[in-house]
Amino acid sequence: MPPSDIQEQLVKHLTDMHAIEVQAEAQMKAAPKMAGTEELARIYEQHERETEEHKRLVDERLEALGQSPSKLKDVVAGAGAVPFILFAKSQPDTPGKLATHALSYEHMEQAGYEILIREAERAGDEETREIARRIRDQEIAMAERIESHFDETVEASLRDQSPDDLEEQLVKYLADAHAIESQAIGLLQGGEKIIGEGELAKAMSDHLDETRSHQASVESRLEALGGSPNKLKDAGLRLGALNWGGFFKAQPDTPAKLAAFAYAFEFLEVGAYEQLRRVAARAGDSETERIASAILTDERAAAATIAAHWDDAVDATLDTRGIAATR
Ligand SMILES: [Fe+2]
Ligand SMILES: [Fe+2]
Ligand SMILES: [Fe+2]
């Protein structure tokens, strides 16, 4: 049953955050083994410890709100967090993909806490608001650490890969970018039903137009490099193999979750284009480098626009459910 008041909504969202942290912990345990560099391995290990603390803090708030730990176990597999969990279970196969995935996941967590902060405000729950802010700041800091290591992850990814022909690698990165844009189009189109009207809806619809033009730019570079439509199809399949597929199977069901999901997705794109840009530079393909940089600017702007509307997304979610704020 959907929550019927702000307290229930808060408990439900805390429960989702619990599930997200459980998955984050599993990921952070697995990440150091394929981090690509020792420093990154340490960064993931350090965040595993932070993640344990996040889970503990979330659980404490749940208990304070009358939820027993045994009940929590049952809801971990609950429907609310399904898209997040499917995403978390994916297993990236290069240091670069791992970094991209981790970057996106940290921003998913950030978004989850942005929403929690605002729901706690509306419920007048000062303690929950405070821990949500504290954890949010750590998720942002972790995302920034990942972002500052893309040179190293690209280096490590190319080192391990065959073929060692850079141009062939570049075609693979372009094909992945093409596949990601296809998924972005699907996500934004599907979101139109959920997001309603208003500024956030407008921003997403504008970004859908942009996304189509990104895909066209990527396609033109693929053609210039001799990537056939056949290869594009392969990339679509390979996307499943990277297991980013899970990200897209489940549709978020509220404006707040859609916004969180779309926000995290922008950073999946950011990670992909940060790498594409570097691989293109190494291959001496300045046109692809230019296109990747231009698209990056759009993806970051789209993320910033979503982030400017957390309040709207939360209000729209409470509205749809007929939930009034406590104050
Ligand atoms: Fe966390
Ligand atoms: Fe995190
Ligand atoms: Fe995008």
Side-chain angles (χ1 to χ4, degrees), residues 219-235:
E219 207 166 322
S220 77
R221 288 316 297 152
L222 267 167
E223 276 161 19
L225 294 169
S228 65
N230 225 353
K231 272 195 181 148
L232 287 187
K233 221 167 127 200
D234 292 346

Side-chain angles (χ1 to χ4, degrees), residues 56-69:
R56 192 182 62 74
L57 290 167
V58 166
D59 289 358
E60 272 177 19
R61 288 316 300 153
L62 276 165
E63 282 184 49
L65 294 171
Q67 299 297 301
S68 70

Side-chain angles (χ1 to χ4, degrees), residues 15 72 123 163 183 206:
T15 307
L72 270 184
Q183 299 295 340
D206 290 348

Side-chain angles (χ1 to χ4, degrees), residues 181 184 188 207 211 214 265-266 269 299 302:
E181 296 293 0
L188 291 167
H207 192 53
T211 302
H214 296 165
F265 194 89
E266 295 309 329
E269 298 183 281
E299 308 298 8

Side-chain angles (χ1 to χ4, degrees), residues 147-177:
E147 282 241 19
S148 65
H149 285 81
F150 275 125
D151 284 338
E152 289 88 335
T153 56
V154 167
E155 171 91 46
S157 301
L158 290 175
R159 193 180 56 214
D160 300 342
Q161 285 297 299
S162 60
D164 45 20
D165 181 78
L166 258 181
E167 192 167 301
E168 269 182 62
Q169 282 296 331
L170 183 57
V171 168
K172 275 171 78 178
Y173 278 83
L174 275 165
D176 280 346

